[in-house]
Amino acid sequence: MPSYKLTYFDVRGLAEASRLLFHLAGVPFEDKRITFGDGSWEKLKDSTPFGQMPVLSVDGFEIPQSAAILRYLAKKFGFAGKTPEEQAWADAIVDQFKDFFGAFRQLIIAQRGGKSAEEIEKITSEVVKPAQESYFKILNGILEKNKSGFLVGNGITFADLVIAENIESLEKFGFFNASEQPKLAALREKVYTQPSLKSYIASRPENIMPEYKLTYFDLRGWAEPARQLFHLSHTPYDDVRIPMADTESSWENLKSMTPFGQLPVLNVDGFDIPQSSAICRYLARKFGYAGKTPEEEAWADAIVDQYKDFSVAFKTLLFAARAGKPQEEILKIRYEIFNPARDAYFCHLNAILKKNKSGYLVGDGLTWADLVVADNLHSLEKFKALDDDNIGHQNLKKYVEKIYSTPDLEDHIATRMDTEIFETLRV
């Protein structure tokens, strides 16, 4: 018997229908699950055929793409359809699912991209809902015509597994109601109660990703490095932004419900985490950007602490401007407090970069310290605190360019709202 290894994340997702095929056929396989966001995938990605998962290895021969894997296994195990015509129909139904999933992905991408609630609602109502209605209508029509309770012929095929799994997921995300779709609910039940599947279905972990909600104002500020960590790890999250123009009502209503009476706050499955550094450190550890060793983690922490020391001087200047202090007083704070702190801070950063050689602040890869410092330097450049004629300042600008050109960050950086609160400080 061939040796099978199926590699995917430790969630159901695009690999679950293939797992079901193995259990349905009673064929042993290695179910290799990559922990989502711990850095393992980044190390493995370049070695996969298409830079994505799932990947099926058959005696060392790799097959990418979930539908290709399913079709291959279904033919090997006898669940592709009993005739060429049934096989074509099973293929067509899975392709129809992929068409619907293409529409549903637009919603996922919008949520991951931190789009506004209005934009997400527009995609839901104008793209996802119409696609869903058409998809359900087609599936119901097939089931009505076929009479067997399966989608193709009189037996179970890989198309039934794909659709049953999709229905299960849609229900968890609030896009399927069994009472409104009895035929589809019955199909799922028929699939999940197959004798060779029942024990696996009953014992499998739900593997639903944690639900993340990051709440902050509608600007970059203290929440931006956390947003970047979500984008780097391709982890969906709810990016709740409180309008600055509406802070007196929206924020004041929310303030007393936050742990420390301030933002940002990260909610993980109902558990609140306050303080920007605590949030970033938590996410960095979850997603593999905290540092590769305890020593690197400590250095990342130290650099962020150094940034926070500098930010005290910056906040002194910011608060003076916000309070409407006289121009002379603001200039005095800038030249006597802010500029000396900035120069010391920049000196430390340049020394670290010069010593490290990799172009990153810690080790030979990106950490959350790079995200925090790069975003701060970007803000300081907007504030005119980086001098084009200063070599050290030029080096820091190049460093920011390096961080912001990271492939999984580029799109977010290019499309994000580059909001600033420093206009009054350009003195």
Side-chain angles (χ1 to χ4, degrees):
M1 181 181 290
S3 174
Y4 296 102
K5 180 171 75 171
L6 182 65
T7 303
Y8 192 61
F9 298 108
D10 57 350
V11 296
R12 295 205 320 267
L14 296 173
E16 189 64 12
S18 292
R19 294 180 184 128
L20 291 175
L21 269 172
F22 279 114
H23 287 278
L24 190 64
V27 174
F29 73 108
E30 182 183 350
D31 188 7
K32 184 173 178 60
R33 303 194 179 212
I34 305 299
T35 301
F36 197 89
D38 73 347
S40 302
W41 168 232
E42 284 70 20
K43 297 174 184 175
L44 179 65
K45 186 175 182 179
D46 289 343
S47 66
T48 63
F50 293 163
Q52 59 190 36
M53 294 195 290
V55 172
L56 176 68
S57 173
V58 185
D59 288 336
F61 181 82
E62 291 187 329
I63 303 171
Q65 284 285 357
S66 58
I69 292 168
L70 277 166
R71 196 173 291 112
Y72 167 81
L73 293 175
K75 288 177 179 176
K76 291 277 283 187
F77 302 157
F79 296 103
K82 296 174 182 175
T83 67
E85 292 74 22
E86 286 189 5
Q87 289 178 12
W89 259 100
D91 285 348
I93 289 167
V94 172
D95 286 343
Q96 191 65 35
F97 152 73
K98 289 170 69 179
D99 286 349
F100 165 69
F101 187 67
F104 196 75
R105 277 189 70 189
Q106 293 186 45
L107 178 61
I108 297 171
I109 291 168
Q111 291 173 331
R112 287 181 176 179
K115 299 295 184 183
S116 67
E118 292 77 14
E119 290 175 287
I120 289 172
E121 177 56 34
K122 184 176 182 181
I123 292 170
T124 301
S125 61
E126 296 182 7
V127 179
V128 177
K129 287 291 186 182
Q132 176 194 27
E133 289 173 10
S134 174
Y135 176 55
F136 284 177
K137 182 179 179 181
I138 290 169
L139 294 176
N140 277 302
I142 293 169
L143 289 168
E144 177 66 30
K145 185 177 180 180
N146 199 33
K147 305 297 185 185
S148 69
F150 295 110
L151 288 164
V152 179
N154 60 6
I156 192 168
T157 66
F158 77 106
D160 297 298
L161 303 182
V162 169
I163 299 304
E165 265 304 296
N166 182 228
I167 289 168
E168 180 80 356
S169 296
L170 289 173
E171 185 174 58
K172 292 185 183 301
F173 287 105
F175 285 90
F176 178 83
N177 187 320
S179 64
E180 295 175 359
Q181 301 289 339
K183 287 186 176 64
L184 294 177
L187 171 67
R188 177 179 59 180
E189 181 68 13
K190 195 173 181 71
V191 170
Y192 283 0
T193 55
Q194 293 292 305
S196 54
L197 287 182
K198 281 202 300 186
S199 62
Y200 172 69
I201 296 294
S203 62
R204 70 178 176 178
E206 280 300 312
N207 292 128
I208 299 299
M209 290 182 200
E211 289 189 7
Y212 296 103
K213 181 172 73 172
L214 182 65
T215 303
Y216 192 60
F217 301 107
D218 59 348
L219 44 79
R220 293 197 342 263
W222 301 110
E224 184 60 17
R227 294 181 185 127
Q228 291 176 17
L229 280 164
F230 280 117
H231 286 275
L232 274 171
S233 62
H234 302 282
T235 303
Y237 73 110
D238 189 4
D239 188 8
V240 177
R241 303 195 182 210
I242 308 299
M244 286 294 290
D246 192 29
T247 51
E248 288 190 8
S249 56
S250 300
W251 169 230
E252 290 306 321
N253 292 335
L254 178 63
K255 188 174 183 178
S256 62
M257 294 185 285
T258 63
F260 294 163
Q262 60 190 32
L263 297 177
V265 171
L266 176 67
N267 183 278
V268 186
D269 288 337
F271 182 81
D272 282 338
I273 302 173
Q275 283 285 355
S276 58
S277 291
I279 291 168
C280 280
R281 189 177 292 107
Y282 166 81
L283 293 176
R285 287 172 177 164
K286 290 277 284 188
F287 302 154
Y289 294 99
K292 297 174 182 176
T293 65
E295 291 74 22
E296 286 190 5
E297 288 188 22
W299 257 101
D301 285 349
I303 289 167
V304 173
D305 286 343
Q306 189 67 30
Y307 148 74
K308 289 170 71 178
D309 286 349
F310 161 70
S311 71
V312 173
F314 186 55
K315 284 162 71 174
T316 302
L317 182 59
L318 176 63
F319 292 156
R322 281 183 175 176
K325 298 291 184 183
Q327 188 78 347
E328 295 77 11
E329 188 171 342
I330 293 174
L331 286 170
K332 182 179 175 67
I333 292 171
R334 173 155 190 168
Y335 290 114
E336 294 183 5
I337 297 175
F338 172 78
N339 282 1
R342 176 205 60 183
D343 293 344
Y345 173 54
F346 285 4
C347 183
H348 291 311
L349 293 177
N350 274 304
I352 292 168
L353 289 168
K354 183 177 180 180
K355 183 178 180 181
N356 201 29
K357 307 292 187 188
S358 68
Y360 298 106
L361 289 167
V362 179
D364 59 1
L366 187 71
T367 67
W368 71 291
D370 293 300
L371 303 182
V372 170
V373 170
D375 199 69
N376 176 236
L377 291 172
H378 178 72
S379 296
L380 291 172
E381 185 174 6
K382 297 274 185 181
F383 169 45
K384 308 297 184 186
L386 282 166
D387 188 347
D388 289 336
D389 296 326
N390 186 301
I391 296 296
H393 292 199
Q394 290 176 19
N395 289 338
L396 293 177
K397 286 184 180 182
K398 291 176 183 177
Y399 162 72
V400 174
E401 290 173 5
K402 177 181 175 69
I403 302 306
Y404 281 2
S405 63
T406 302
D408 292 325
L409 275 184
E410 276 186 311
D411 286 346
H412 171 66
I413 299 298
T415 59
R416 69 179 179 179
M417 293 183 293
D418 202 7
T419 47
E420 295 292 345
I421 57 174
F422 308 130
E423 297 295 330
T424 56
L425 297 182
R426 296 181 183 178
V427 293

